[in-house]
Amino acid sequence: GEDVEQSLFLSVREGDSSVINCTYTDSSSTYLYWYKQEPGAGLQLLTYIFSNMDMKQDQRLTVLLNKKDKHLSLRIADTQTGDSAIYFCAEKVGTGRRALTFGSGTRLQVQP
Amino acid sequence: NAGVTQTPKFRVLKTGQSMTLLCAQDMNHEYMYWYRQDPGMGLRLIHYSVGEGTTAKGEVPDGYNVSRLKKQNFLLGLESAAPSQTSVYFCASSGPATYEQYFGPGTRLTVT
């Protein structure tokens, strides 16, 4: 079945790197996503990775995928106070309905 | 280009009342989705649509109905609201060639 899990909370200091982790259970996941949600707003797509990739880098963001362990991580370099938000991991499984399964979100708090 | 818009932004209903949430997208996307977001539970799929005139059930469809009469609009209806439907509702859309979803800003619904 589909299940995506994330830790609830992460606190870092401004300028440090943040690493947000996610585990998923469905080995047939084809795409994995990271979304950001700021207070009172909708979800904003940050980045995604295809299941045949191990790593993807996009400016300050680095996504690492370990398919063997079904583990996905999002690293934010030089974390800024504007990065404070909830980060959701999501997976797309197979070629069916195209809907995503979301984790419960990790709240990132960046302290000045 | 407004992306995905939702109306209303906030609503308070009494138990048993009905209402319709409207989602509109201007990206000519085929696929549209309704999610609900509850604290600590991530997003759960209510209903989705793979094209004009078609709808299908998601994970938590009970108590909701949907319609997709026009490609750009996806309506979510609550026929008889219950306190358990207090939530934040998000609409999303995605195109045929990409899998990432674009979200609206959300509707915060309270049922008393």
Side-chain angles (χ1 to χ4, degrees):
Chain A
E2 303 168 6
D3 196 11
V4 180
E5 294 189 355
Q6 304 177 236
S7 54
L8 290 179
F9 185 76
L10 176 66
S11 180
V12 300
R13 292 200 176 278
E14 191 173 18
D16 288 349
S17 291
S18 306
V19 179
I20 302 171
N21 296 302
C22 169
T23 58
Y24 59 97
T25 57
D26 199 316
S27 57
S28 61
S29 293
T30 54
Y31 302 86
L32 295 129
Y33 306 81
W34 285 105
Y35 282 84
K36 177 183 180 182
Q37 185 181 33
E38 298 184 14
L43 277 70
Q44 172 195 355
L45 177 68
L46 285 178
T47 186
Y48 64 92
I49 188 167
F50 297 137
S51 58
N52 62 357
M53 298 170 64
D54 297 324
M55 185 182 86
K56 180 178 181 181
Q57 190 155 0
D58 184 0
Q59 299 182 340
R60 291 190 299 123
L61 305 180
T62 302
V63 179
L64 294 177
L65 175 60
N66 181 329
K67 286 193 71 177
K68 175 175 172 289
D69 295 337
K70 299 190 188 69
H71 182 266
L72 181 75
S73 67
L74 174 70
R75 178 176 179 270
I76 305 173
D78 187 25
T79 312
Q80 303 297 307
T81 54
D83 295 324
S84 292
I86 301 176
Y87 290 80
F88 290 92
C89 169
E91 66 173 349
K92 163 74 177 69
V93 178
T95 58
R97 65 186 186 193
R98 303 173 66 92
L100 305 182
T101 300
F102 287 83
S104 55
T106 299
R107 181 178 296 276
L108 174 64
Q109 181 180 72
V110 182
Q111 298 179 356
Chain B
N1 189 338
V4 180
T5 58
Q6 293 181 232
T7 52
K9 287 186 169 51
F10 302 94
R11 185 71 185 268
V12 178
L13 287 179
K14 293 188 188 301
T15 297
Q17 288 184 319
S18 63
M19 77 163 294
T20 300
L21 283 68
L22 171 64
C23 175
Q25 52 96 3
D26 62 2
M27 296 174 282
N28 201 35
H29 283 167
E30 293 289 337
Y31 299 84
M32 297 187 74
Y33 313 82
W34 276 107
Y35 293 90
R36 59 178 288 173
Q37 183 180 32
D38 301 296
M41 297 186 75
L43 278 77
R44 293 182 292 168
L45 182 67
I46 305 171
H47 286 278
Y48 65 100
S49 168
V50 301
E52 183 178 317
T54 70
T55 63
K57 293 180 180 180
E59 296 174 66
V60 289
D62 294 342
Y64 305 95
N65 56 75
V66 287
S67 63
R68 184 98 181 269
L69 299 179
K70 293 183 179 180
K71 186 178 183 179
Q72 64 268 33
N73 295 337
F74 194 28
L75 279 63
L76 178 71
L78 286 74
E79 290 186 349
S80 179
S84 61
Q85 295 177 304
T86 293
S87 188
V88 181
Y89 292 85
F90 287 101
C91 176
S93 69
S94 65
T98 59
Y99 294 94
E100 60 266 33
Q101 296 184 8
Y102 298 88
F103 283 80
T107 295
R108 185 173 294 275
L109 175 66
T110 302
V111 183
T112 61

